[in-house]
Amino acid sequence: EPEVTQTPSHQVTQMGQEVILRCVPISNHLYFYWYRQILGQKVEFLVSFYNNEISEKSEIFDDQFSVERPDGSNFTLKIRSTKLEDSAMYFCASSRGETGELFFGEGSRLTVL
Amino acid sequence: AQTVTQSQPEMSVQEAETVTLSCTYDTSESDYYLFWYKQPPSRQMILVIRQEAYKQQNATENRFSVNFQKAAKSFSLKISDSQLGDAAMYFCAYRLYNQGGKLIFGQGTELSVKP
């Protein structure tokens, strides 16, 4: 069964460093998303992406964050200068249509020291 | 703003028994979807069941069913004949009808199943 895959599963970085989290969505899906979950808190929407542009973003998704689909298969989340509060589990998801079922990856745990 | 609340951080059920997980939400909108997602340990979140707000009939998927009370803004999940593989974190989520993949999640309920 097709799956959304995410790498790395866990990344540890120093505050101020750039981090790129990678996702491979399901191949025939057209809509892509990033969510995050800070430990002990709710899963929160970050951004949705369609047709090579951001379709919606939350207040969390500030200028430190960016997304791109560099090669038609990967979907990346970049955090330019990480802060301690960026430590969280980041989930990628994809869907075939705008209102279709979301399929989630296993998540990438980011630890900022 | 829309919010989703799951008031049970943890629940436990005996294998083969029935358990109900609670979820309430707050919205002023009339067109929306509600979902239950299951996240086994170290695995992806997967969709368990989905309910369209305009449908009065409660959704069912095999052993999983919901009790959707629109006026009360309540959306509980019933798991019948619980199995060991049902042990997981369960998330209730809400989405506006026209807002694509922007889900609003509850805090989650961790379900354990005792053999």
Side-chain angles (χ1 to χ4, degrees):
Chain A
E1 189 171 325
E3 287 188 340
V4 175
T5 56
Q6 291 185 240
T7 54
S9 56
H10 188 193
Q11 181 157 356
V12 181
T13 191
Q14 295 291 323
M15 191 169 55
Q17 295 296 303
E18 177 182 283
V19 160
I20 297 176
L21 305 179
R22 291 183 168 81
C23 170
V24 179
I26 294 172
S27 62
N28 63 348
H29 285 188
L30 301 176
Y31 293 80
F32 314 111
Y33 314 91
W34 284 101
Y35 284 78
R36 80 171 185 190
Q37 185 180 28
I38 295 171
L39 188 64
Q41 298 187 23
K42 294 183 180 184
V43 177
E44 302 170 289
F45 170 80
L46 290 179
V47 66
S48 58
F49 189 87
Y50 169 71
N51 199 26
N52 278 323
E53 58 183 32
I54 290 173
S55 43
E56 188 167 3
K57 59 183 181 179
S58 71
E59 293 174 353
I60 303 166
F61 195 89
D62 61 22
D63 293 344
Q64 291 299 311
F65 291 90
S66 62
V67 289
E68 66 173 355
R69 192 153 156 79
D71 56 13
S73 62
N74 288 284
F75 177 52
T76 61
L77 174 69
K78 182 194 290 187
I79 309 174
R80 262 181 268 285
S81 177
T82 50
K83 305 179 205 138
L84 295 176
E85 54 264 36
D86 294 328
S87 294
M89 182 73 91
Y90 289 82
F91 295 102
C92 175
S94 68
S95 65
R96 189 185 302 183
E98 188 176 15
T99 58
E101 177 183 344
L102 265 67
F103 290 79
F104 284 86
E106 291 186 15
S108 293
R109 181 171 297 284
L110 176 64
T111 302
V112 182
L113 303 177
Chain B
Q2 295 90 13
T3 58
V4 178
T5 302
Q6 293 176 250
S7 58
Q8 306 153 316
E10 297 173 352
M11 290 284 284
S12 180
V13 63
Q14 204 72 35
E15 195 175 6
E17 297 294 308
T18 295
V19 65
T20 299
L21 308 185
S22 301
C23 173
T24 58
Y25 59 96
D26 190 23
T27 184
S28 57
E29 304 290 337
S30 57
D31 293 329
Y32 51 87
Y33 295 99
L34 295 163
F35 307 86
W36 279 98
Y37 279 86
K38 169 186 177 182
Q39 186 183 31
S42 302
R43 297 299 310 275
Q44 297 97 323
M45 257 190 290
I46 55 173
L47 181 64
V48 174
I49 200 164
R50 154 178 159 156
Q51 174 82 41
E52 289 89 343
Y54 66 86
K55 288 188 177 177
Q56 293 186 336
Q57 188 171 8
N58 289 323
T60 62
E61 285 288 339
N62 301 313
R63 297 182 294 107
F64 298 87
S65 62
V66 298
N67 183 3
F68 173 48
Q69 301 288 327
K70 191 172 185 179
K73 296 178 183 171
S74 169
F75 182 62
S76 60
L77 175 70
K78 185 169 85 171
I79 307 173
S80 304
D81 185 26
S82 297
Q83 300 174 1
L84 295 178
D86 294 333
M89 183 71 85
Y90 286 82
F91 292 99
C92 178
Y94 162 103
R95 192 191 86 200
L96 272 176
Y97 185 75
N98 62 351
Q99 272 202 325
K102 184 181 175 182
L103 296 170
I104 298 170
F105 284 90
Q107 302 93 320
T109 296
E110 185 160 10
L111 178 68
S112 59
V113 181
K114 297 178 181 175

